[in-house]
């Protein structure tokens, strides 16, 4: 009887192993589902698809256009999407409860780009405040507030990068955030909302700042790279279970996206990229606007002429400096949540960064592709406009010194 029980247990164990193996094999054969929001910086995912790079690395990927960052968040968390082009600060916003259910895990596999966002002001401000004239912003806002009782600015997701650039811009300009209304609008809807007067200014990624200029409804007051040169922006963010159970597929996806980032940083390829991502299935915006700002040629609007960014326009690789997911940048983002009152007390910065950033995996992928891994993580740094030093090992000192 004992022998029979032992035999039965052995058979059952084998069955469980076979079923588990079969499930894993089946999962590996399922297409990887990646989402994106219609923005120029979705280019690494879109071009990896269009250039056949996912196929090159042996993984089938379905790329889908999503309507909002909240939609991306929900689909990643439920597994409807395996991953997406995403605001780099979003996983930390969601995990800390600023932009989602606290404790919900979204993993950062790698970074996709730096720079290339902008603060756009409505034509009502034209002639009153110009490009990078930060000292003129607060008086104009105060006058408008006195006359109309309300001033509204828009960003794309609570605690997202556009929210952080907007709030940093307001702090640098001396605009009181408690007297201004800050609303959330999905990126592709920004221009239409400004056109009907729903906001006085917005922060969003290209091409929508450029489109507002082309349509004559707003002008570029400052680009995000003016606030912080080579700031982190979008990331490849993935579902936790996908990162754990389909690691091989994730590595293949990362290799394809990394190669697309390298391709995109060749200026000769940017015209082709603009023509592709401008099409209706992707960004659905004029290719010339996308191309000009991709090349660093910014028509500022409001008769301000053109600003040329020679080295600090939207970059996707920069010899590997762009793609490395830094924990110091995660800590900086969470420190902003505390600084601007989104969190009442400091979170466990390092523990959260360690939990949500797949830094070891990125290093493995980069080294396999002979891409240099930077060694600057966790070192103090300052933003270009706000010279306050941020030491990731002591965020409290920065928060105390930074403008609110």
């Amino acid at each position: 009887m004992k022998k029979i029980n032992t035999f039965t247990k052995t058979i059952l164990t084998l069955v469980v192993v076979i079923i588990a193996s079969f499930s894993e094999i089946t999962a590996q054969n399922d297409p990887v589902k990646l989402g994106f929001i219609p923005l120029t910086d979705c280019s690494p995912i879109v071009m990896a698809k269009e250039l056949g790079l996912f196929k090159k690395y042996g993984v089938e990927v379905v790329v889908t256009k999503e309507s909002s960052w909240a939609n991306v968040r929900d689909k990643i968390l439920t597994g409807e999407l395996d991953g997406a082009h995403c605001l780099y600060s979003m996983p930390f916003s969601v995990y800390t409860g600023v932009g989602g259910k606290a404790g919900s895990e979204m993993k950062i596999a790698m970074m996709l780009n730096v720079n290339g966002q902008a603060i756009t002001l409505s034509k009502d401000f034209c002639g009153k405040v110009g490009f990078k004239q930060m000292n003129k912003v607060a008086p104009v806002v105060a006058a408008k507030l006195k006359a109309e009782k309300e001033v509204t600015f828009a960003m794309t997701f609570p605690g997202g990068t556009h929210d952080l650039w907007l709030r940093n811009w307001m702090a640098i300009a001396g605009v009181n955030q408690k007297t201004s209304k800050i609303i959330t609008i999905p990126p592709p809807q920004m221009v239409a909302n400004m056109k009907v007067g729903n906001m006085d200014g917005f922060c969003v990624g290209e091409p929508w700042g450029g489109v507002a200029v082309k349509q004559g409804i707003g002008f570029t007051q400052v680009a995000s790279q003016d606030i912080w040169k080579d700031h982190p922006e979008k990331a490849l963010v993935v579902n936790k279970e996908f990162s754990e159970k389909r690691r091989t597929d994730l590595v293949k996806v990362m290799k394809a996206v990394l190669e697309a980032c390298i391709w995109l940083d060749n200026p000769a390829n940017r015209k082709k990229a603009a023509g592709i991502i401008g099409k209706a299935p992707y960004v659905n915006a004029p290719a010339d606007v996308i191309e000009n700002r991709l090349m660093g040629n910014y028509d500022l609007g409001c008769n301000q002429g053109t600003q040329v960014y020679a080295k600090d326009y939207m970059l996707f690789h920069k010899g590997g400096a762009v793609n490395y997911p830094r924990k110091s940048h995660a800590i900086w983002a969470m420190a902003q949540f505390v600084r601007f009152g989104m969190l009442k007390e400091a979170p466990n910065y390092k523990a959260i960064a360690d939990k949500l950033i797949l830094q070891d995996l990125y290093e493995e992928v980069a080294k396999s592709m002979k891409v240099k891994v930077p060694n600057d993580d966790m070192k103090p740094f300052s933003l270009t406009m706000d010279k306050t030093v941020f030491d990731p090992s002591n965020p409290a000192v920065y928060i105390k010194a930074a403008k609110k």
Side-chain angles (χ1 to χ4, degrees), residues 126-299:
C126 186
K128 300 172 184 176
V129 55
F131 179 64
K132 291 207 290 188
Q133 292 181 337
M134 302 301 288
N135 61 325
K136 291 189 177 182
V137 175
V140 173
V141 169
K144 192 172 181 66
L145 189 61
K146 186 176 180 180
E148 301 178 15
K149 308 301 180 188
E150 187 174 84
V151 173
T152 302
F153 296 105
M155 49 77 187
T156 63
F157 186 84
T161 54
H162 302 131
D163 192 11
L164 302 187
W165 312 144
L166 176 66
R167 291 178 189 273
N168 271 267
W169 171 78
M170 293 172 77
I172 293 166
V175 176
N176 189 333
Q177 297 181 30
K178 292 181 180 178
T179 60
S180 301
K181 188 176 179 182
I182 298 177
I183 61 175
T184 303
I185 301 288
Q189 297 176 26
M190 283 292 188
V191 174
N193 274 271
M194 181 171 274
K195 190 178 290 185
V196 297
N198 286 344
M199 83 276 280
D200 298 289
F202 63 72
C203 182
V204 74
E206 295 303 338
W208 305 115
V211 171
V213 169
K214 182 165 185 171
Q215 294 187 8
I217 63 166
F219 64 94
T220 301
Q221 198 278 324
V222 70
S224 57
Q225 54 265 37
D226 296 313
I227 297 171
W228 181 3
K229 182 182 176 182
D230 291 346
H231 66 78
E233 184 51 42
K234 300 302 190 301
L236 174 62
V237 173
V238 296
N239 168 272
K240 179 187 177 185
E241 186 176 356
F242 174 74
S243 72
E244 294 170 347
K245 295 188 176 180
R246 297 183 64 181
R247 190 174 183 276
T248 301
D249 281 343
L250 176 54
V251 166
K252 291 175 181 178
V253 167
M254 290 170 69
K255 286 181 177 180
V257 172
L258 187 53
E259 186 169 327
C261 287
I262 294 169
W263 183 88
L264 281 160
D265 258 13
N266 182 342
N269 293 329
R270 294 205 168 191
K271 185 178 182 68
K272 179 178 180 180
I276 291 173
I277 67 171
K279 293 178 180 177
Y282 298 126
V283 178
N284 194 24
D288 62 327
V289 175
I290 295 174
E291 182 186 349
N292 285 337
R293 295 216 166 185
L294 260 180
M295 298 301 292
N297 300 319
Y298 283 49
D299 176 359

Side-chain angles (χ1 to χ4, degrees), residues 19-31 246:
I19 291 173
S21 299
F22 179 75
S23 298
E24 189 172 339
I25 291 168
T26 302
Q28 295 292 344
N29 289 332
D30 288 341
R246 297 183 64 181

Side-chain angles (χ1 to χ4, degrees), residues 356-386:
L356 300 184
I357 299 178
L358 304 176
Q359 201 173 73
D360 290 345
L361 182 61
Y362 174 78
E363 289 174 4
E364 176 189 316
V365 170
K367 287 172 184 175
S368 74
M369 296 181 71
K370 295 181 172 55
V371 169
K372 184 179 179 181
V373 175
N375 61 357
D376 60 355
D377 198 9
M378 296 305 290
K379 293 181 180 178
F381 59 87
S382 296
L383 274 62
T384 308
M385 279 191 175
D386 181 359

Side-chain angles (χ1 to χ4, degrees), residues 345-360:
E345 57 185 40
N348 191 334
Y349 295 107
K350 181 125 185 350
I352 296 171
D354 288 342
K355 182 186 285 285
L356 300 184
I357 299 178
L358 304 176
Q359 201 173 73
D360 290 345

